[in-house]
Amino acid sequence: VRFIMFKVHSLLFWARVSIAGFLVSISCVNAQVQREIVFIVDGSGSISGTDWILQKLGITTALESTVHVPRDGSIATMIVQFSDTTRLELGYTVITSDVDVATVISTVEAMSQLGGSTGPQLGIDEAVAQLELATQSANGGT
């Protein structure tokens, strides 16, 4: 079972989905950024090397789409990897250009798998915490 969370206006929604490997979160942090795409990647030992590569390919393919990820500052992204711990692979990044996308893709391609047990809730909790930090920063620390 995988989870997806998304936020519309001030409401946070959660849904469980069976998409292997990564999760997407959409919410609104500030006036310019309209959507946030948070990839929560399963890096546990139960993910094979082939599936690890497939997850990373899915993320890079999604980011390459100018239809879904315009380069106008309306999209922000972040990547959290989980196993029995978490690692913030990419902090909150607003996409304003092809250079931003290339930087994110390079980060994804360089990610190494954590291994260990499977703790998806840890990934979700870390993503929520990071989004809250981004929200506080966008609102001047309040």
Side-chain angles (χ1 to χ4, degrees):
V1 174
R2 302 288 189 246
F3 300 91
I4 182 172
M5 70 172 191
F6 59 97
K7 192 174 188 180
V8 177
H9 302 289
S10 63
L11 302 174
L12 183 64
F13 296 90
W14 298 88
R16 296 186 326 181
V17 295
S18 60
I19 298 173
F22 63 91
L23 311 167
V24 176
S25 173
I26 302 172
S27 66
C28 184
V29 166
N30 64 33
Q32 183 179 14
V33 174
Q34 297 172 10
R35 284 177 290 184
E36 297 152 347
I37 303 172
V38 181
F39 297 96
I40 306 172
V41 184
D42 187 346
S44 68
S46 62
I47 299 299
S48 70
T50 301
D51 287 341
W52 177 247
I53 292 168
L54 184 61
Q55 289 182 95
K56 293 180 7 174
L57 180 61
I59 294 169
T60 59
T61 301
L63 292 170
E64 288 171 344
S65 169
T66 56
V67 171
H68 297 102
V69 184
R71 278 62 166 159
D72 62 2
S74 65
I75 301 289
T77 191
M78 184 170 55
I79 304 170
V80 174
Q81 183 182 167
F82 70 88
S83 62
D84 51 9
T85 186
T86 62
R87 181 167 61 211
L88 181 63
E89 299 287 355
L90 177 74
Y92 191 86
T93 302
V94 178
I95 304 297
T96 60
S97 68
D98 286 332
V99 172
D100 293 333
V101 172
T103 301
V104 173
I105 288 173
S106 293
T107 299
V108 171
E109 291 171 344
M111 286 177 8
S112 60
Q113 189 173 354
L114 287 170
S117 300
T118 307
Q121 189 63 47
L122 296 172
I124 292 168
D125 291 346
E126 179 66 16
V128 169
Q130 292 297 326
L131 282 173
E132 287 174 352
L133 286 173
T135 301
Q136 289 172 0
S137 176
N139 294 326
T142 59

